[in-house]
Amino acid sequence: MKNGHDKKNTNPTIKDVAKIANVGIATVSRVLNNSGKVSEKTRERVIEVIEELGFSPNIHARTLSSKNINSLSFVVPDMGNEFYGIMYSLLESRLSKHNYRLIVFPLIDQISLEKIKQNTDIIYQTDGVFISSLSVTNIFQSRIPQKTIVLIDSFDERFDSVYVDNENIGRTAADYLLKNSPTKTNFYLVTFKELNNEFTSFVFAKRDKGFLEVMEKHNKKVKIIYADLLWEGGYKALESHIKNKPKNYISVFATCDMLGVGAKKYLEEKNIVPKRDYSLISVDNLPISRLFKLSTIRQPITEMVEIAYEMFISSSNGRKKVENYKLEGKLIERET
């Protein structure tokens, strides 16, 4: 076989595919779900590895039939987002030490959600459920599984939860821009408009709220631009409102790193220089933010996963009292 593998792994995982194809887990997920941008060369390499390993989405069924491995569900909005790919890797590495296999359930469309609602999905057969950035009630309706449920990056007082104070993240972003902006400044909020449906976590709405409250307190007008949740979304957002280099200073709050990368790329193409002509801050502190030297507010992904893991283990060992942890973001100042 190619890639130096003599035989197929009897139980390959998405992590195995990513490692051998030399790509991220999020990239493999995008290929499997045919979502997001992946170059044709990368797509072909991932598909080749999938075929060589014998990997299949039906791995869920094989995992559940194993007598030696306990399975847990990981319900996320979209594994194509690097944020959730990192979260999955961290959580899976910790749980594997206790012989748990983490099965991903990305709610990428209405069909996948309806399966869970109808109580027909194998998510009900797993030994526990981790849910990230989604509402338990909206997902399961009245059929909430009677097993350990841990929420990551979302809050529900009925269940163990670890989450970030997103309103305070918005306030931190506002304080940063106000500190770095001269009197004559045009302020922009580049964000994602969440629809009020089953997929909504209101993470972005909370960041928007905290940011706008501070700006209003300082009598600053803010142009709100809604964008697609891709780096191209941030690019197009500023492209639609800043055609040429403006006379006033520019200050931008992009509510996630993907939007921030696109916004910075557009400003660079217009020869608008950071800290001289503009300030920009985003949220997450993903690896791409370091590459683009974005000032950002770090989401404590590692800490959230560690706490979620500990809550699951202690609950499995008999703890009855519900635990909730609220964490804070941390300002990371770079070029912008």
Side-chain angles (χ1 to χ4, degrees), residues 192-236:
F192 176 68
K193 189 170 187 178
E194 297 160 301
L195 301 175
N196 189 12
N197 58 26
E198 290 93 338
F199 295 94
T200 301
S201 62
F202 296 111
V203 165
F204 292 94
K206 291 172 184 175
R207 292 173 189 171
D208 297 348
K209 180 183 177 183
F211 179 77
L212 293 171
E213 282 179 352
V214 173
M215 301 306 283
E216 183 178 358
K217 191 179 296 184
H218 287 80
N219 297 313
K220 301 295 184 182
K221 293 182 179 180
V222 178
K223 179 64 180 178
I224 303 173
I225 311 172
Y226 292 109
D228 292 333
L229 206 53
L230 301 164
W231 78 263
E232 294 97 329
Y235 184 100
K236 292 178 180 178

Side-chain angles (χ1 to χ4, degrees), residues 131 134-141 144 149 151 156 158-159:
I131 300 175
L134 293 165
S135 162
V136 176
T137 302
N138 285 347
I139 295 171
F140 296 110
Q141 302 294 310
I144 296 175
I149 295 177
L151 307 185
D156 188 317
R158 299 171 297 170
F159 305 100

Side-chain angles (χ1 to χ4, degrees), residues 57-220:
N58 290 332
I59 184 67
H60 292 183
R62 296 205 299 275
T63 297
L64 289 171
S65 66
S66 171
K67 295 180 180 179
N68 300 317
I69 299 177
N70 296 315
S71 55
L72 301 171
S73 301
F74 182 44
V75 186
V76 294
D78 176 16
M79 275 297 287
N81 186 320
E82 188 179 12
F83 178 81
Y84 299 112
I86 293 172
M87 187 179 291
Y88 168 84
S89 295
L90 292 169
L91 190 57
E92 194 273 339
S93 68
R94 284 153 180 76
L95 291 168
S96 64
K97 297 175 183 177
H98 289 266
N99 215 27
Y100 282 105
R101 171 64 52 78
L102 195 61
I103 303 175
V104 181
F105 291 85
L107 295 187
I108 57 175
D109 54 29
Q110 197 66 31
I111 294 175
S112 57
L113 179 63
E114 288 304 321
K115 283 185 178 180
I116 294 177
K117 282 184 178 180
Q118 294 166 12
N119 203 9
T120 59
D121 204 288
I122 58 175
I123 191 171
Y124 287 88
Q125 302 173 39
T126 58
D127 301 296
V129 183
F130 289 90
I131 300 175
S132 183
S133 308
L134 293 165
S135 162
V136 176
T137 302
N138 285 347
I139 295 171
F140 296 110
Q141 302 294 310
S142 60
R143 299 188 179 94
I144 296 175
Q146 298 303 304
K147 56 190 68 184
T148 300
I149 295 177
V150 179
L151 307 185
I152 309 176
D153 195 34
S154 54
F155 169 76
D156 188 317
E157 62 183 9
R158 299 171 297 170
F159 305 100
D160 288 340
S161 309
V162 54
Y163 60 102
V164 178
D165 188 340
N166 279 292
E167 286 190 28
N168 197 48
I169 280 179
R171 289 190 285 269
T172 300
D175 290 339
Y176 176 79
L177 293 181
L178 288 169
K179 183 185 74 172
N180 289 283
S181 302
T183 303
K184 293 184 177 181
T185 297
N186 297 336
F187 291 96
Y188 297 89
L189 169 61
V190 179
T191 189
F192 176 68
K193 189 170 187 178
E194 297 160 301
L195 301 175
N196 189 12
N197 58 26
E198 290 93 338
F199 295 94
T200 301
S201 62
F202 296 111
V203 165
F204 292 94
K206 291 172 184 175
R207 292 173 189 171
D208 297 348
K209 180 183 177 183
F211 179 77
L212 293 171
E213 282 179 352
V214 173
M215 301 306 283
E216 183 178 358
K217 191 179 296 184
H218 287 80
N219 297 313
K220 301 295 184 182

Side-chain angles (χ1 to χ4, degrees), residues 50-62:
I50 287 172
E51 291 175 349
E52 289 181 357
L53 291 181
F55 174 79
S56 165
N58 290 332
I59 184 67
H60 292 183
R62 296 205 299 275

Side-chain angles (χ1 to χ4, degrees), residues 238-286:
L238 292 194
E239 182 183 38
S240 64
H241 288 79
I242 303 174
K243 300 298 183 183
N244 300 297
K245 184 176 178 180
K247 294 180 180 179
N248 291 350
Y249 193 82
I250 299 169
S251 283
V252 181
F253 175 35
T255 50
C256 69
D257 284 343
M258 284 193 295
L259 294 176
V261 166
K264 185 173 190 286
K265 187 170 178 59
Y266 178 74
L267 293 171
E268 284 180 344
E269 289 182 5
K270 290 295 181 180
N271 296 315
I272 300 175
V273 180
K275 292 293 176 70
R276 188 193 73 185
D277 304 318
Y278 79 92
S279 291
L280 186 156
I281 188 164
S282 58
V283 182
D284 284 334
N285 195 40
L286 298 176

